[in-house]
């Protein structure tokens, strides 16, 4: 068993921004395979604790006080890990009033395909499906304390939003970087434990491990937690619009500092815990299939993680960076083969509706998920998606281990691409 970096997580506080700082982690020992040594620092209980802490802020709906408190807590944690150069990118977002046209999402992807009804990102829908949607009813949340925590809604009108990020600066090529990201906001009047506390915790854990003493990379790695994903990928789109033309520019000139290193790859994480498989028809207490009032079958999700559960690595085949994105996806599949401990990975080409979308025509971009976004999540394979049941308590260790295996996959993939070294 590899040694674990000593680090205690500060518990989240829904009503305060200041957090206790964790003790400095101990240096890692040099190893014959530094990637294996780093992957060994990932710990299920630390990952779960970070998700649990995020749920103390409820669903973290954008524009609310609980969202701002979560941003403050995330920033404090990143600093406590040693990723001290934390920054925020500010942007303006307009929340439409009821009855106004819904804001447009980031540029989309053709949907549909031969063989079945159209899905998202070009996928085809097969098999049993459950209706999906967003819960907008606070009273659907039976927990009174959580309902009260989530009671503040996004204010109507234009106001400021923020993304938070920190950067592992490359020792050889600080002018180049990989982006590792997830979105920290949620909706549905639950805890947003899976969507996307699971991805946020993954990115934070990687920031913790790459910030340990003795860990060096040739190229930079930026760990970004997006805001406003649920309202239309607005935080990621704002980042692209503000920073794409600043890539690789030294500032001040001659300083050796690059505020926006050149993007080499973008890796997004969005919902990491639930791969229970295709819904099946509900059976009543007498062993008979259940139907609704119209006589249609009633489908429900399997209660346990399926035996063939996997991490889905997706790129978008119609993007301008499709070939390079496919190469990046398969590099992560190879990292999973070598370093993941429990669940395998599969590669798909229908990446859609996630924060890598605004990047996909500019830089090789992939997303890691629990299921294929268009065909499976879009067919209701995760019944907690945008629902008040997206609660920490509704996921088992088997579910959390799927997220941990995604973390192993990304850590190993990025470590190899960025040129990992562990100093003695």
């Amino acid at each position: 068993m590899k040694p674990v970096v000593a680090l205690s997580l500060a518990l989240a506080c829904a009503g305060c921004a200041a957090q206790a700082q964790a003790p400095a982690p101990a240096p890692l020992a040099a190893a014959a395979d530094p990637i294996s040594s780093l992957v060994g620092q990932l710990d299920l209980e630390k990952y779960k604790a970070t998700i649990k802490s995020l749920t103390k802020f409820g669903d973290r709906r954008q524009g609310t006080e609980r969202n701002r408190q979560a941003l403050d807590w995330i920033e404090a944690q990143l600093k406590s890990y040693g990723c001290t150069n934390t920054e925020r990118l500010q942007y303006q977002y307009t929340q439409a009033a009821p009855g106004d046209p819904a804001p447009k999402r980031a540029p989309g992807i053709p949907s549909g395909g031969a063989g079945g009804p159209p899905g998202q990102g070009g996928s085809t829908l097969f098999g049993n499906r459950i209706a999906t949607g967003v819960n907008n009813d606070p009273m659907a949340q039976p927990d009174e304390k959580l309902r009260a925590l989530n009671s503040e809604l996004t204010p109507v009108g234009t106001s400021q939003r923020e993304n938070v990020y920190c950067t592992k600066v490359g020792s050889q090529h600080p002018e180049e970087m990989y982006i590792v990201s997830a979105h920290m906001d949620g909706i549905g009047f639950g805890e947003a434990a899976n969507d996307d506390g699971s991805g946020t915790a993954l990115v934070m854990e990687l920031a913790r491990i790459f910030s340990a003493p003795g860990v060096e990379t040739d190229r930079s790695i930026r760990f970004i937690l997006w805001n406003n994903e649920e309202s239309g990928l607005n935080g990621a789109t704002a980042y692209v619009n503000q920073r794409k033309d600043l890539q690789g520019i030294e500032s001040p000139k001659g300083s050796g500092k690059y505020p926006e290193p050149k993007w080499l790859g973008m890796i997004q994480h969005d919902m990491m815990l639930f791969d229970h498989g295709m819904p099946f028809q509900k059976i009543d207490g007498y062993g008979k299939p259940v139907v609704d009032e119209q006589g249609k079958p009633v489908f429900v999700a399997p209660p346990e993680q399926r035996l063939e559960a996997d991490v889905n690595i997706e790129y978008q085949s119609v993007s301008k960076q499709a070939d390079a994105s496919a190469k990046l996806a398969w590099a992560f599949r190879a990292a999973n083969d070598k370093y993941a401990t429990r669940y395998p990975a599969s590669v798909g080409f229908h990446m859609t509706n996630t924060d890598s979308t605004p990047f996909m025509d500019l830089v090789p971009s992939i997303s890691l998920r629990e299921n294929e976004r268009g065909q499976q999540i879009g067919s209701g394979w995760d019944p907690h998606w945008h629902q008040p049941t997206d609660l920490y308590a509704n996921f088992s260790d088997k579910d959390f281990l799927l997220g941990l295996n995604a973390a192993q996959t990304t850590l190993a993939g990025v470590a190899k691409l960025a040129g990992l070294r562990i100093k003695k």
Side-chain angles (χ1 to χ4, degrees):
M1 178 69 68
K2 305 289 192 305
V4 176
V5 176
L7 176 64
S8 59
L9 289 168
L11 291 177
C13 174
C16 58
Q19 300 293 327
Q21 299 298 299
L28 296 175
D33 181 358
I35 296 178
S36 179
S37 178
L38 222 60
V39 169
Q41 305 307 307
L42 284 166
D43 178 77
L44 179 63
E45 294 307 315
K46 284 186 172 65
Y47 177 58
K48 289 169 58 180
T50 304
I51 297 174
K52 181 66 173 176
S53 293
L54 285 163
T55 66
K56 300 296 184 180
F57 303 102
D59 64 9
R60 306 180 297 282
R61 182 182 295 262
Q62 59 86 15
T64 62
E65 179 62 23
R66 61 188 181 275
N67 177 277
R68 292 186 289 272
Q69 290 174 353
L71 278 171
D72 290 341
W73 181 80
I74 290 168
E75 181 176 19
Q77 289 300 109
L78 293 174
K79 289 179 178 179
S80 77
Y81 301 155
C83 202
T84 55
N85 57 355
T86 61
E87 300 179 67
R88 297 198 186 192
L89 181 136
Q90 299 179 346
Y91 59 96
Q92 298 296 310
Y93 173 72
T94 300
Q95 174 75 10
D100 288 350
K104 292 183 178 179
R105 295 186 69 86
I109 303 299
S111 64
Q120 294 173 316
S123 63
T124 300
L125 302 184
F126 296 104
N128 299 334
R129 306 200 302 276
I130 299 175
T132 62
V134 177
N135 173 58
N136 292 309
D137 179 11
M139 298 307 295
Q141 176 51 255
D143 186 318
E144 293 184 5
K145 291 183 178 179
L146 183 55
R147 192 192 314 147
L149 177 60
N150 286 333
S151 62
E152 182 191 359
L153 301 180
T154 299
V156 172
T158 300
S159 55
Q160 181 177 287
R161 302 286 187 272
E162 294 179 315
N163 303 316
V164 63
Y165 61 90
C166 71
T167 308
K168 174 73 174 180
V169 178
S171 59
Q172 301 298 318
H173 295 284
E175 77 282 4
E176 299 176 340
M177 77 172 177
Y178 288 91
I179 295 172
V180 177
S181 63
H183 72 90
M184 53 73 62
D185 64 312
I187 52 177
F189 295 96
E191 292 176 335
N194 188 26
D195 187 12
D196 188 26
S198 62
T200 297
L202 186 158
V203 173
M204 292 175 68
E205 277 296 278
L206 266 60
R208 174 182 70 84
I209 290 171
F210 275 104
S211 299
V215 176
E216 287 189 356
T217 55
D218 291 340
R219 293 170 177 81
S220 299
I221 308 170
R222 181 159 290 173
F223 305 96
I224 308 181
L225 289 315
W226 309 113
N227 212 337
N228 276 93
E229 189 271 352
E230 300 290 6
S231 58
L233 317 181
N234 305 103
T237 300
Y239 185 95
V240 169
N241 291 340
Q242 292 186 32
R243 309 305 293 264
K244 62 184 174 62
D245 295 329
L246 304 178
Q247 294 180 67
I249 299 175
E250 190 180 28
S251 181
K253 193 170 181 62
S255 66
K257 297 181 179 180
Y258 299 85
E260 191 64 32
K262 179 182 177 181
W263 305 339
L264 300 181
M266 196 285 189
I267 303 99
Q268 171 69 7
H269 304 82
D270 195 347
M271 301 170 65
M272 311 308 307
L273 304 182
F274 196 93
D275 188 7
H276 289 210
M278 184 185 297
F280 62 89
Q281 188 170 4
K282 187 176 181 180
I283 305 298
D284 66 17
Y286 299 98
K288 295 182 178 181
V290 176
V291 296
D292 62 17
E293 294 178 354
Q294 286 75 40
K296 296 180 179 179
V298 175
F299 293 105
V300 294
E304 291 286 335
Q305 197 76 269
R306 60 177 178 161
L307 295 177
E308 66 273 26
D310 59 5
V311 175
N312 285 69
I313 304 169
E314 296 186 280
Y315 68 97
Q316 181 44 250
S317 62
V318 301
S319 69
K320 295 178 181 178
Q321 295 283 336
D323 290 345
S325 296
K327 184 177 180 180
L328 181 63
W330 284 106
F332 272 59
R333 164 63 190 270
N336 174 273
D337 284 348
K338 186 171 182 179
Y339 294 101
T341 56
R342 185 181 181 96
Y343 296 105
S346 61
V347 173
F349 53 93
H350 296 312
M351 184 186 78
T352 186
N353 291 61
T354 191
D355 288 306
S356 44
T357 305
F359 289 86
M360 69 183 183
D361 287 333
L362 302 173
V363 59
S365 302
I366 61 174
S367 71
L368 277 71
R369 286 185 178 273
E370 61 191 12
N371 285 303
E372 198 215 45
R373 171 60 178 86
Q375 195 280 317
Q376 297 174 344
I377 296 176
S379 295
W381 286 30
D382 186 340
H384 305 304
W385 182 40
H386 296 160
Q387 298 301 309
T389 57
D390 189 356
L391 308 172
Y392 180 90
N394 284 340
F395 300 97
S396 69
D397 272 3
K398 291 180 181 178
D399 298 325
F400 291 117
L401 278 168
L402 182 68
L404 191 74
N405 272 242
Q408 293 170 335
T409 301
T410 294
L411 193 157
V414 171
K416 183 172 183 180
L417 292 169
L420 171 69
R421 294 186 310 281
I422 298 179
K423 295 175 63 178
K424 294 183 179 180

